[in-house]
């Protein structure tokens, strides 16, 4: 039998502090390739040209160029970042290597773009890629012909270097810098809202100072926004922790008064928001609110209970059509002409029934199967509404018109500005219900079912009952969204209830963070609000959703604002790895200590002696 | 009358007879160990009793109710709770929430009660919390205090086992079925758990059936030992009786080994 050589203890002890790996230049080259492909892709699919119409900083930066050059900037930043340092490892020194990594990305991106322009001007690609137009090539070469190619490459290289350089900054400065860049771009893009805000607040004089007539910030305005955002991140954000701490230290009474004033402030902000922002932005906010309602409902079904529902739009349709039939004088078969509030109990009833109808057949299904079956239900609902067979009830493709406005007593909610208030009201109700249920017997049973259905059942949870309850609550919340949608638009048509609605709601729940209520709010604002405001974006909306979903799944599966629980679940292995490494290191240290104290030196004296 | 009585149950998996006309009973206040070689049908027996599988023949009577045909949650609500061989906690819920789920079957607040935050619901929520903490306190300070709001997955292996027992206790069961409660524990933890199983009966009045491979535990706690092999009961009695039973030795060590011994 061969003898196994014992591992010499000393060999293990020598590298107590392991060095974490440095930035990999090879990786940077690969990422550079990715950046190059992305930059060429956004050019070839027409995004750069379409976005070039809109200025972010007037005369200096259009949204098209911003998109094009953000690609090397962001990817260079990522390529120049050290791999994560596990506990027990020594972080490598930052230095020129980071900048070189950034430069590599910039250079490769530039090379790809230049080759693309050369190829496109030599060969006519327009038969296949209709967006590769002479105007696009003009844009990419800054209208300078072949001399522009140098500019294009130089710009890309510069962005790569900038991305690498920011890695050298201290965390505080880096955060401030990126925050300021992001806010400047955002304020530039949201001209509609901000200009309207100035107008609404009676600060009309300020508007021309910030925004140029051609759209986009004036250079001075951009500088001001940049400085303010920079100062905010540099000086205010680090203090938030202190404030939270101070709040926790306050006596209960002061805490209550702080809370109260926060609530009062929030109420005032909500009350004046639509008035200040005017009808167009209010319209967008109304839509955001309706999607938010659905997001909160789906969050219960998918986030809490773990039931992947792809036909959620069916419940939205039930709410809208029930409201339409009961309130409209033009409903085809039977028009009781109820008021919205009288119809509401029937809406709830119809939605609950729909929840049971969808929920019952899928009681014994999980995961993928559940998703496919619910997908089918969503389509069935739309086709029924469209069908000739049910035309006498639902009005077929013509839908139901003349749905009266929402009113409370003498107050009639006519305009988008008016509708904002009931929509916010219902959203708050849904958020309250979600929060309340989450921390209750029912919510715990949902989560237990999500974690392990069989064990939940063995612990006394009636799976059938709890699953149906999740579907019913989700359905009722979505039906509120549908009811508000019906009275807001004044008519309902089957084509409003397409699969796309289900997908949008699911994407915003996933992007925001499954199971997280603030996450749903952020997800809705970003994915529904932003594209509504930026009309150039509409055509590329689905592309953006797809890209976003893939990136989220790869790099941040818990969503933007996750619940603590999901963070834990998805980073579980990493946490365990860290814990293990720490344990290992402690063990080595202890061993090393034991060895040295066994040496010639006398044992160390206690300090106090 | 026995608290749990299993009458001639059988279970086939395809052509394999996992449990074969097994008779088995547990008196109130008893601690019964079920032992046997791997694949003898011990966990299948637990799965049949708790309703995860349905027996092909036979009856299972618990506290005057026939369990055959009932769902697992209904069985748990009758007063019979279990732990799992491979620890199956709700790992992304906190320690406290895990145990609170155990009280689900004993409480009633519905959706409307919760949304309206009725006094009844608030009292019940407080009751759930209190009962859960009570169950956790049985394990001393290991699972309470700062541990309450930690996610279950940060717990050590032994604490995970303890939490599983606490969750089963919270269901308000009379009979606990513990599936290899000391698997993966070190000798000190095993000893501690052995003593704890005794306390579960003596202080809390639980009747306990456990599957166990560690003979020191079996010897330490059991009033009676039931030995399974190929789905049949091959011996029953006190530890001493069973330990010297020739068929048992044969099942564990093989015929040849027993003869040469």
């Amino acid at each position: 039998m061969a003898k196994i050589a014992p591992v010499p203890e000393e060999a293990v002890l020598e590298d107590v502090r392991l060095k974490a790996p440095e930035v990999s230049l090879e990786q940077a080259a690969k990422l550079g390739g990715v950046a190059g492909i992305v930059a060429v892709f956004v050019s070839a699919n027409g995004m750069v040209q379409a976005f070039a119409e809109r200025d972010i900083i007037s005369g200096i930066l259009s949204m098209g160029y911003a998109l094009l050059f953000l690609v090397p900037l962001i990817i260079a930043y990522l390529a120049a970042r050290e791999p994560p340092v596990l506990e027990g490892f020594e972080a490598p020194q930052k230095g020129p290597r980071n900048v070189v990594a950034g430069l590599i990305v910039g250079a490769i991106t530039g090379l790809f773009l230049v080759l693309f322009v050369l190829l496109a001007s030599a060969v006519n690609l327009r038969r296949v890629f209709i967006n590769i137009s002479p105007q696009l090539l003009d844009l990419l070469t800054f209208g300078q012909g072949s001399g522009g190619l140098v500019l294009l490459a130089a710009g890309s290289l510069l962005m790569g270097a900038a991305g690498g350089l920011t890695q050298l900054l201290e965390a505080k400065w880096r955060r401030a810098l990126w925050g300021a860049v992001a806010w400047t771009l955002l304020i530039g893009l949201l001209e509609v809202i901000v200009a309207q805000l100035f107008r609404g607040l009676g600060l009309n004089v300020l508007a021309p100072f910030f925004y140029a007539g051609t759209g986009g910030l004036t250079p001075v305005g951009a500088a001001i926004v940049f400085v303010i955002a920079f100062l905010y991140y540099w000086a205010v954000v680090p203090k938030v922790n202190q404030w939270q701490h101070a709040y926790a230290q306050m006596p209960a009474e002061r805490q209550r008064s702080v809370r109260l004033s926060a609530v009062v402030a929030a109420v005032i902000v909500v009350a004046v928001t639509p008035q200040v922002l005017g009808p167009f932005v209010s319209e967008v906010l109304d839509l955001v609110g309706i999607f938010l309602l659905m997001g909160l409902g789906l969050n219960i079904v998918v986030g809490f209970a773990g039931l992947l529902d792809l036909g959620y739009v069916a419940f939205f349709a039930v709410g809208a059509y029930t409201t339409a039939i009961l309130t409209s004088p033009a409903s085809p078969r039977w028009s009781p002409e109820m008021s919205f509030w009288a119809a509401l109990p029937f809406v709830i009833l119809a939605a609950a029934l729909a929840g049971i109808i969808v929920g019952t057949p899928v009681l014994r299904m999980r995961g993928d199967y559940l998703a496919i079956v619910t997908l089918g239900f969503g389509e069935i609902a739309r086709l029924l509404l469209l069908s000739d067979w049910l035309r006498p009830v639902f009005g077929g493709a013509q839908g139901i018109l003349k749905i009266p406005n929402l009113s409370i007593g003498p107050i009639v909610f006519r305009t988008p500005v008016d509708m904002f208030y009931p929509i916010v009201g219902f959203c708050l109700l849904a958020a309250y219900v979600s929060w309340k249920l989450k921390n209750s017997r029912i919510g715990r049973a949902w989560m237990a079912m999500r974690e392990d259905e069989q064990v939940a059942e063995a612990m006394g949870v009636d799976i059938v009952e709890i699953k149906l309850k999740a579907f019913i609550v989700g359905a009722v919340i979505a039906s509120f969204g549908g009811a508000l949608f019906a009275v807001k638009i004044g008519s309902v048509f089957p084509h409003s209830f397409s699969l796309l609605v289900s997908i949008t709601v699911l994407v915003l729940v996933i992007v925001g963070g499954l199971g997280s209520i603030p996450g749903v709010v952020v997800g809705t604002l970003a994915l529904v609000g932003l594209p509504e405001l930026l009309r150039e974006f509409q055509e590329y909306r689905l592309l953006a959703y797809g890209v976003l979903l893939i990136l989220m799944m790869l790099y941040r599966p818990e969503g933007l604002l996750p619940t603590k629980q999901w963070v834990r679940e998805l980073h579980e292995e990493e946490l365990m790895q860290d814990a293990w490494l720490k344990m290992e290191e402690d063990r080595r240290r202890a061993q090393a200590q034991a060895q040295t104290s066994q040496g010639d030196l006398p044992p160390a004296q206690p300090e106090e002696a | 009358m026995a608290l749990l009585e299993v009458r001639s149950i059988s279970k086939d998996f395809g052509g394999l007879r996992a449990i074969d006309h097994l008779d088995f009973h547990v008196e109130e206040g008893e601690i019964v160990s079920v032992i046997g070689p791997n694949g003898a049908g011990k966990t299948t027996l637990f799965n049949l009793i708790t309703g995860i599988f349905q027996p092909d023949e036979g009856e299972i009577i618990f506290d005057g109710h026939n369990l055959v045909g009932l769902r697992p949650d209904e069985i748990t609500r009758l007063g019979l709770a279990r732990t799992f061989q491979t620890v199956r906690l709700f790992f992304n819920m906190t320690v406290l929430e895990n145990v609170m789920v155990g009280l689900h079957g004993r409480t009633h607040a519905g959706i409307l009660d919760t949304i309206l935050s009725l006094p009844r619901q608030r009292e019940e929520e407080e009751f759930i919390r209190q009962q859960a903490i009570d169950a956790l306190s049985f394990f001393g300070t290991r699972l309470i205090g700062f541990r309450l709001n930690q996610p279950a997955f940060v717990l050590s292996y032994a604490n995970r086992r303890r939490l599983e027992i606490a969750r089963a206790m919270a269901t308000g069961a009379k009979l606990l079925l513990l599936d290899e409660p000391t698997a993966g524990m070190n000798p000190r933890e095993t000893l501690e758990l052995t003593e704890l199983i005794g306390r579960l009966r003596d202080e809390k009045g639980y009747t306990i059936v456990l599957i166990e491979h560690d003979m020191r535990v079996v010897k330490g706690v059991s009033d009676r030992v039931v030995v399974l092999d190929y789905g049949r009961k091959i011996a029953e009695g006190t530890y001493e009786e069973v330990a010297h039973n020739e068929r048992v030795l044969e099942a564990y060590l093989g015929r040849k080994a027993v003869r040469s011994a």
Side-chain angles (χ1 to χ4, degrees), chain A residues 321-342:
Chain A
Y321 266 89
T322 313
T323 312
I325 291 171
L326 294 180
T327 62
S328 166
S331 94
R333 155 143 305 166
W334 171 68
S335 40
E337 296 190 41
M338 293 178 177
S339 76
F340 177 83
W341 303 105

Side-chain angles (χ1 to χ4, degrees), chain A residues 377-532:
Chain A
F377 270 114
E379 281 302 280
I380 290 171
R382 190 176 61 86
L383 290 172
L384 283 179
L385 296 176
L386 199 59
S387 68
D388 277 339
W389 175 50
L390 290 171
R391 195 197 187 94
V393 186
F394 297 128
Q398 276 80 46
I400 301 172
L401 310 172
K402 291 188 187 159
I403 300 168
N405 284 317
L406 178 63
S407 60
I408 303 175
I411 312 164
V412 185
F413 298 89
R414 275 196 196 90
T415 62
V417 174
D418 299 339
M419 277 307 287
F420 179 77
Y421 299 105
I423 289 174
V424 166
F426 274 97
C427 286
L428 286 177
L429 178 73
Y432 170 79
V433 166
S434 301
W435 171 75
K436 197 73 199 164
L437 285 175
K438 187 178 183 182
N439 302 305
S440 78
R441 170 179 177 266
I442 311 245
R444 285 189 297 269
W446 281 337
M447 286 186 273
M449 175 170 77
R450 184 187 74 199
E451 299 276 307
D452 191 330
E453 195 169 314
Q454 205 177 44
V455 177
E457 203 174 10
M459 289 302 124
V461 176
D462 186 342
I463 293 293
V464 169
E465 176 203 320
I466 216 74
K467 253 188 199 174
L468 282 181
K469 276 182 176 162
F471 273 113
I472 291 171
V473 176
V476 170
I477 293 179
S479 77
F480 289 159
L484 289 167
F485 178 76
V487 292
K488 181 179 161 327
I489 306 285
S491 50
V492 287
F493 307 104
H495 75 230
S496 310
F497 307 101
S498 64
L499 175 64
L500 198 57
V501 178
S502 297
I503 306 254
T504 307
V505 178
L506 188 69
V507 171
L508 66 89
V509 172
I510 290 175
V511 169
L514 277 171
S516 153
I517 299 167
V520 179
V521 178
V522 171
T524 318
L525 282 173
L527 294 182
V528 180
L530 222 52
E532 279 308 313

Side-chain angles (χ1 to χ4, degrees), chain A residues 432 436 439-441 444-445 448 451-452 454-455 457-462 469 473 565 568-569 576, chain B residues 52 71 73 76 82 88 90-93 97 100 104 107 109 111 114-115 117 125 151 153 160 167:
Chain A
Y432 170 79
K436 197 73 199 164
N439 302 305
S440 78
R441 170 179 177 266
R444 285 189 297 269
E451 299 276 307
D452 191 330
Q454 205 177 44
V455 177
E457 203 174 10
M459 289 302 124
V461 176
D462 186 342
K469 276 182 176 162
V473 176
Q565 265 154 29
R568 284 182 216 142
E569 182 164 2
M576 283 181 166
Chain B
I52 289 175
R71 290 193 314 264
D73 56 297
T76 304
R82 69 173 294 180
R88 283 169 79 176
F90 308 122
F91 285 106
N92 297 298
M93 297 170 75
E97 282 171 339
M100 286 166 103
H104 186 88
T107 46
I111 291 175
T114 309
I115 294 172
S117 197
E125 199 63 15
F153 77 78
R160 290 179 182 197
R167 188 177 63 183

Side-chain angles (χ1 to χ4, degrees), chain A residues 50-101:
Chain A
F51 291 2
E53 308 288 311
R54 185 185 280 266
D55 271 352
I56 292 179
I57 302 172
S58 180
I60 295 180
L61 183 65
S62 75
M63 195 162 114
Y65 284 130
L67 174 72
L68 187 66
F69 286 111
L70 272 179
V71 174
L73 181 67
I74 291 174
I75 295 186
Y77 174 79
L78 295 176
R81 188 172 55 177
E82 293 90 5
V85 180
L86 289 168
E87 235 179 307
F89 285 82
E90 202 170 356
Q93 279 286 317
K94 287 182 182 286
R97 203 181 167 87
N98 300 65
V99 185
V100 171

